[in-house]
Amino acid sequence: MTNSQLRFEQLLAKLRESEYRLTPQRVELIRLIAASEGHPSAARLYSLIKVQFPTMSLATVYKTLDLLKELGEVLEIGLRDDSHYDGNKPYPHPHLICTKCQNIMDGELDAAVKKIVQEVEKNFGFQITRHQLDFYGICPDCQNKS
């Protein structure tokens, strides 16, 4: 079983466990999220699913993404024009966001982020239940184009 197939099965199981309806449109959207590489926008997911389900609305895509977000199965990365979603790494991790091309990369800084969270909790007495750390800058490809 591939990673995307395993992720697809996990997402379906989570929705079944929470007793949500599994409409054909919702199942296909979950398949797209599980198979996605990177961080697709809601608009991108909509354009892909609209081919198979032409009457499906963008609102349905957003509702399903919100549901998955509430269940802790996707992370939303809010950008200026549209939110992007990380459905394959739904746990807190840093994102590196290029301000020129809008490319989003995952940062693997688990130990450093854990230390920051502990430091914030210690210094401010704030119990952190979830976090999101985004870094904005210019990616290597855009730097090379300049």
Side-chain angles (χ1 to χ4, degrees):
M1 187 177 289
T2 65
N3 284 343
S4 63
Q5 183 64 28
L6 179 61
R7 183 66 182 139
F8 174 70
E9 295 296 332
Q10 289 171 339
L11 291 170
L12 285 180
K14 187 74 169 211
L15 288 174
R16 280 189 193 108
E17 176 185 301
S18 301
E19 298 182 358
Y20 286 104
R21 285 185 39 219
L22 294 176
T23 63
Q25 294 89 341
R26 187 173 275 171
V27 170
E28 183 57 25
L29 181 58
I30 290 167
R31 185 182 320 282
L32 288 172
I33 292 166
S36 69
E37 293 183 18
H39 308 84
S41 68
R44 174 72 180 138
L45 291 167
Y46 175 64
S47 71
L48 293 171
I49 201 166
K50 197 168 102 171
V51 173
Q52 189 174 351
F53 298 97
T55 60
M56 186 171 170
S57 71
L58 182 57
T60 302
V61 172
Y62 276 112
K63 287 177 188 172
T64 301
L65 289 168
D66 283 344
L67 169 64
L68 292 170
K69 193 171 76 170
E70 286 176 29
L71 293 172
E73 294 299 326
V74 298
L75 288 177
E76 181 178 11
I77 305 158
L79 295 180
R80 166 175 26 127
D81 298 331
D82 192 8
S83 289
H84 289 246
Y85 296 86
D86 192 338
N88 291 310
K89 291 184 176 182
Y91 50 86
H93 63 280
H95 290 102
L96 310 168
I97 303 165
C98 181
T99 56
K100 287 195 177 226
C101 69
Q102 302 293 304
N103 186 35
I104 303 170
M105 298 180 283
D106 290 322
E108 299 300 332
L109 304 167
D110 295 337
V113 171
K114 188 175 184 177
K115 185 175 179 179
I116 291 169
V117 169
Q118 290 170 342
E119 191 83 13
V120 168
E121 287 182 331
K122 178 183 167 194
N123 289 339
F124 299 98
F126 194 84
Q127 182 182 7
I128 297 174
T129 56
R130 76 178 180 87
H131 63 83
Q132 188 166 326
L133 183 60
D134 298 327
F135 295 96
Y136 294 86
I138 301 172
C139 71
D141 288 342
C142 288
Q143 289 176 50
N144 290 334
K145 290 177 186 173
S146 296

